[in-house]
């Protein structure tokens, strides 16, 4: 999760919502990514989507069997769906996302068994650190907006 938090800080430095992710296979990080929605002008450029694509390249297979995805924020429905389709074995996320979280905060896509794949989930890992990054990012964004209006 430390590596995912480092990616989230990169996102914040780039004025992106500070979400970071890493994909691990056989105890090695094979993909690192952070949100690039603003940079790429692409609503699908979430940290998780980026590491899924990079992981498929690294393994030369879209099936990401025996991988663990670490993410600093509870995944949205798009990202969680992509993890299921990619056959990620395990998801570890830090802070809940009350507006878009698809593992129970907004909806729970995993409450019904998926017909082809089951995803093991651990949540709340380094939650305070991840939540602080988000809170600090949006606080600075609001303060910047307030000084722009003076």
């Amino acid at each position: 999760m430390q590596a995912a938090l480092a990616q989230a800080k990169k996102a914040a430095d780039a004025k992106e919502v500070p979400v970071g992710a890493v994909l691990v296979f056989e105890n090695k990080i094979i993909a690192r990514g952070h949100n690039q929605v603003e940079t790429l002008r692409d609503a699908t450029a979430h940290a998780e989507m980026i590491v899924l694509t990079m992981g498929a390249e690294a393994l030369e297979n879209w099936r990401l069997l025996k991988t663990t995805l670490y993410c600093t924020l509870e995944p949205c429905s798009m990202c969680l769906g992509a993890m299921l389709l990619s056959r990620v074995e395990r998801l570890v996320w830090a802070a809940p996302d009350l507006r878009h979280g698809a593992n129970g905060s907004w909806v729970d896509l995993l409450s019904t068994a998926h017909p082809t794949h089951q995803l093991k989930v651990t949540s709340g890992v380094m939650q305070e650190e991840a939540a602080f990054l988000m809170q600090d990012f949006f606080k600075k964004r609001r303060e910047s907006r307030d000084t722009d209006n003076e």
Side-chain angles (χ1 to χ4, degrees):
M1 189 59 77
Q2 288 285 359
L5 284 165
Q7 289 296 311
K9 289 174 186 167
K10 282 186 180 183
D13 291 344
K15 296 188 176 12
E16 296 277 358
V17 174
V19 179
V22 296
L23 188 66
V24 174
F25 178 72
E26 294 181 346
N27 296 314
K28 282 180 50 181
I29 295 174
I30 61 168
R32 299 170 193 266
H34 59 274
N35 271 6
Q36 294 186 51
V37 171
E38 301 298 334
T39 303
L40 299 176
R41 294 180 179 93
D42 179 356
T44 68
H46 291 191
E48 303 95 324
M49 299 298 284
I50 290 167
V51 299
L52 291 173
T53 299
M54 291 173 66
E57 282 183 37
L59 296 178
E60 298 180 346
N61 194 333
W62 63 267
R63 290 177 189 88
L64 301 175
L65 303 172
K66 300 181 182 174
T67 60
T68 299
L69 193 148
Y70 292 83
C71 185
T72 60
L73 190 66
E74 176 186 1
C76 70
S77 57
M78 172 184 67
C79 294
L80 197 54
M83 287 177 219
L84 287 168
L85 292 171
S86 298
R87 313 298 197 267
V88 169
E89 182 175 308
R90 184 170 173 235
L91 164 65
V92 180
W93 57 266
D97 183 348
L98 301 178
R99 295 185 313 139
H100 303 289
N103 188 213
S105 294
W106 172 56
V107 297
D108 191 354
L109 294 184
L110 301 178
S111 64
T112 301
H114 190 270
T116 60
H117 184 66
Q118 301 306 307
L119 183 62
K120 299 172 194 159
V121 179
T122 303
S123 60
V125 175
M126 299 187 77
Q127 179 176 337
E128 294 80 18
E129 294 89 334
F132 175 79
L133 277 176
M134 294 292 281
Q135 292 162 353
D136 189 55
F137 174 81
F138 285 108
K139 178 183 175 196
K140 287 177 180 172
R141 197 163 153 189
R142 283 189 301 277
E143 288 170 356
S144 172
R145 217 178 291 146
D146 290 344
T147 59
D148 289 345
N149 292 330
E150 290 180 357

